[in-house]
Amino acid sequence: MHIPHRSRLRALVSAACTAALGASLLAGAGTATAAAPAAPQAKAGSKIVGYFTEWGTYDRKYYVRNIETSGSAARLTHINYAFGNVTGGKCAMGDSYAATDRAYTAAESVDGVADTWDQPLRGNFNQLLKLKKKHPGLKILWSFGGWTWSGGFGDTAKNPAAFAQSCYDLVKNSKWAGLFDGIDIDWEYPNACGNSCDTSGREAFKNVMAALRSKFGGSALVTAAITADASGGGKIDAADYAGAAQYVNWYNPMTYDYFGAWDATGPTAPHSPLTSYSGIPKAGYNTSATIAKLRGLGIPASKLLLGIGFYGRGWTGVTQAAPGGTATGPAAGTYEQGIDDYKVLKTKCPATGTVGGTAYAKCGSDWWSYDTPATLATKMTYKNQQGLGGTFFWELSGDTANGELIRAIH
């Protein structure tokens, strides 16, 4: 899941909410009748999409310059800038200071040139424009929503055309002309529960994506991060992702955060398993099941990207090294309990085993799971075998200073 600011905790879905959604989940799937403009396509398997977080420039001190110095910029095909807000049925700025106002020193700047007090555009947007000058083939999309800001999407479903117009006007604003090559929608989750519960109906997501494609036209990129819940009657079934697929260039199924310390006592389980394994806590909670479910709906493999987390999730109070142990709560993390970056965990708690195609680590009473360059090699083989459109990951600041994980993807 993609979660702005500090919180990356999964909300527990209440029985009442599930019951309230029941009728809409059972609604039949309609088929789109409006013709969609042709969407530009890239070679299947070649996309490498990384999220850059707006708030990462604060405590994390991860700047656009770091994308360049880590070697990541040369390996990325696309950057998703996270996040814009969704409020009042419209797209809106997230943090305008970080995006357009913050002055960068020469040492912080992509090209070594300091911002001046009177220049019309500063902040992340100006730095990203500088990065694009260095890498003319790099495309950037503005992502809207995420865990915290997805509550506004229900209103967009009431007037998709007005929402699409607001997004177009913001993304294509002349103040940052040439920066964004399209829009990414991170609705968590249509007609289902995330940080809040949405009851806009099964067709809402398709209608919104159709309106965005109609407004942005065939030359712009329109993508969406979508649920990876492939369990029976799960979130994939709640919305017409198959019907909406004709309007998107690709989907980013969030094939991570399957398990974590929101289940404080365990059982311990890797948050991003590639495959099922004996003892996995919940059927359908693995990458292979998610991809199979989506492909089974008729969504082309070339429109599905493999999701990777550049972080781990962990518990403490664990005595059992193998997965499936009990815990007393979330392990300590740098910014939040139960989660930490790969760049921290590789040293703090080195991997001690693999299960389901990903790695886990037991150090003291802490138990963590995360992907390593070795497990990413396995996942890239799977991606190629499936003919998927590429790889995306959350998010750039979790990698090492020299880009170990993105090198493994590349």
Side-chain angles (χ1 to χ4, degrees):
M1 62 187 65
H2 299 147
I3 305 170
H5 314 306
R6 299 288 181 83
S7 175
R8 290 185 61 89
L9 295 177
R10 175 171 296 184
L12 294 176
V13 180
S14 69
C17 177
T18 303
L21 291 170
S24 56
L25 290 176
L26 294 173
T31 55
T33 55
Q41 299 296 325
K43 182 181 177 183
S46 64
K47 301 178 193 73
I48 301 178
V49 183
Y51 277 86
F52 177 85
T53 61
E54 189 166 75
W55 62 93
T57 56
Y58 292 110
D59 289 354
R60 288 175 171 269
K61 292 182 170 53
Y62 189 91
Y63 308 128
V64 177
R65 176 181 174 84
N66 294 103
I67 307 176
E68 176 69 14
T69 58
S70 65
S72 298
R75 293 172 173 82
L76 288 163
T77 60
H78 303 77
I79 291 173
N80 282 356
Y81 183 84
F83 284 109
N85 201 350
V86 181
T87 181
K90 297 180 179 180
C91 281
M93 293 287 290
D95 178 350
S96 60
Y97 173 76
T100 63
D101 297 343
R102 183 193 187 279
Y104 278 80
T105 66
E108 296 168 340
S109 180
V110 168
D111 60 359
V113 178
D115 290 339
T116 61
W117 68 270
D118 59 345
Q119 69 186 57
L121 181 68
R122 296 188 295 268
N124 291 333
F125 284 10
N126 184 52
Q127 292 297 311
L128 286 167
L129 281 168
K130 290 183 176 187
L131 191 69
K132 288 187 80 170
K133 287 181 181 178
K134 285 181 172 286
H135 303 276
L138 181 63
K139 306 295 184 185
I140 302 179
L141 299 90
W142 195 345
S143 295
F144 288 85
W147 182 255
T148 301
W149 285 341
S150 282
F153 277 116
D155 289 335
T156 72
K158 299 173 184 176
N159 192 340
F163 171 65
Q165 183 68 54
S166 75
C167 297
Y168 184 87
D169 292 343
L170 187 59
V171 171
K172 298 297 184 180
N173 190 303
S174 61
K175 294 178 183 177
W176 42 84
L179 174 55
F180 294 112
D181 300 282
I183 186 171
D184 175 66
I185 297 298
D186 282 26
W187 185 349
E188 302 181 20
Y189 299 96
N191 203 37
C193 294
N195 192 35
S196 59
C197 287
D198 174 66
T199 56
S200 57
R202 194 172 186 277
E203 302 303 306
F205 177 75
K206 181 187 71 176
N207 294 339
V208 167
M209 300 312 294
L212 288 167
R213 173 55 71 194
S214 177
K215 183 61 196 177
F216 277 81
S219 60
L221 295 168
V222 177
T223 68
I226 64 172
T227 178
D229 181 0
S231 60
K235 293 183 177 68
I236 289 177
D237 295 323
D240 188 7
Y241 291 111
Q246 63 187 301
Y247 303 116
V248 304
N249 293 85
W250 63 81
Y251 282 138
N252 297 322
M254 293 179 280
T255 48
Y256 38 76
D257 288 347
Y258 288 108
F259 307 104
W262 47 84
D263 294 320
T265 59
T268 57
H271 79 86
S272 186
L274 174 61
T275 61
S276 186
Y277 59 89
S278 178
I280 194 168
K282 190 167 183 177
Y285 272 42
N286 63 85
T287 299
S288 298
T290 298
I291 297 301
K293 174 91 172 182
L294 294 169
R295 293 190 65 181
L297 294 175
I299 300 171
S302 61
K303 283 196 173 188
L304 298 173
L305 271 58
L306 185 69
I308 302 294
F310 278 15
Y311 61 90
R313 289 194 176 275
W315 289 261
T316 194
V318 181
T319 58
Q320 177 177 314
T326 59
T328 58
T334 304
Y335 301 102
E336 180 185 334
Q337 288 189 326
I339 186 169
D340 223 335
D341 294 342
Y342 167 75
K343 66 175 182 276
V344 173
L345 290 172
K346 64 166 291 192
T347 301
K348 182 172 83 170
C349 194
T352 53
T354 58
V355 66
T358 190
Y360 63 87
K362 174 73 162 55
C363 49
S365 64
D366 289 347
W367 194 98
W368 291 90
S369 71
Y370 53 91
D371 274 310
T372 66
T375 63
L376 285 185
T378 301
K379 290 189 172 184
M380 292 307 102
T381 298
Y382 167 83
K383 181 261 295 182
N384 293 334
Q385 289 172 342
Q386 292 290 313
L388 304 184
T391 309
F392 81 97
F393 60 87
W394 180 273
E395 42 85 15
L396 281 155
S397 72
D399 206 352
T400 61
N402 64 345
E404 277 185 25
L405 295 182
I406 196 170
R407 289 171 192 269
I409 289 172
H410 190 263

